[in-house]
Structure formats: C-alpha cells, structure tokens
Amino acid sequence: NPPMPGLNLGDVVPNFEADTTVGPIKFHDWIGSDWAILFSHPADYTPVCTTELGTVAKLDAEFKKRNCKTIALSCNDVESHSGWIADIKATQTVADVPFPIIADPKRVLAVSWGMVDPDEKDAAGLAMTCRAVFVIGPDKKLK
C-alpha cells in the first residue's frame, strides 16, 4: 500500500490484506455490509493500550447491536498479539478479546493510513505509531 497523501472524510478507505489474531483478512471483505471501527495502538503490552482494548472488549455487545465491527492495529506480530490478549484477559477481567488485532510490525499500514508521528522514531529508526480511530461505513467510506 503506497502512502496516501491524506485520508479525508468521505474517501473510500484503503483495502488491504493483513495477518491478524483471527487469521488473514482482506479489509473490505472483513467489513462486509457492516460499520467498522479501526483503531491503532503504539505497541502491545503498554498499560493504556491494554485498558483501551479491554474496554472495547467489554463493549463488544454494544457495537454488535449497532452492526459495527471493531478491529485493532498494533505494530507487533501476531505472536506478540496472542500473548497480549492473554494479558488483556487477565488484567481487564474480560473473557475474550472478540475482535481481530492486525499485525503491522513493519508499520506498512500505519504509514499508509497516516497513523505515525513523523518526528518520533524507535531504536530501529521506524516511525512511532500514534493512537488513531477510523469510523468506516458499510460503503467503505471514512466517516
């Protein structure tokens, strides 16, 4: 996915394929005819990110009532995400994390969606991701 000059309200969001904690997805196919919320996090196991994912897990039934799917993105691999899910369940008192977490260890999606801080780099020189939330309609357009 080449970097986008900017994702604006009303734009059709990029379609992408990604590995997730529930297996590979094609984003537009995964959305189907529902609403979707894509939210990003800087890294697995960070305290604030852990509480945020726990809260979304606790609200899962409310999202489902509104025909809205949730999906998270974190710049770690699926193996790390799987361990993090166990941590979220233990620390946030949730039985499950019922939504996929996208693996983006090379930050390809984070960069293409504009989820990075251009001035902050990690030890490997990769741009640090920021928290971002995207609300996407059944028409695959950013709302």
Side-chain angles (χ1 to χ4, degrees), residues 94-113:
V94 293
D96 193 20
V97 175
F99 50 85
I101 304 174
I102 298 168
D104 191 24
K106 294 182 180 175
R107 295 167 173 77
V108 171
L109 293 173
V111 169
S112 70
W113 280 66

Side-chain angles (χ1 to χ4, degrees), residues 57-110:
K58 289 174 185 174
L59 293 171
D60 186 61
E62 294 300 318
F63 286 112
K64 284 183 175 157
K65 281 186 206 174
R66 293 161 176 83
N67 296 318
C68 184
K69 295 177 176 176
T70 54
I71 189 166
L73 179 143
S74 185
C75 292
N76 298 93
D77 59 27
V78 170
E79 184 178 346
S80 176
H81 292 346
S82 296
W84 188 27
I85 286 171
D87 185 64
I88 293 166
K89 288 157 86 172
T91 63
Q92 303 305 304
T93 61
V94 293
D96 193 20
V97 175
F99 50 85
I101 304 174
I102 298 168
D104 191 24
K106 294 182 180 175
R107 295 167 173 77
V108 171
L109 293 173

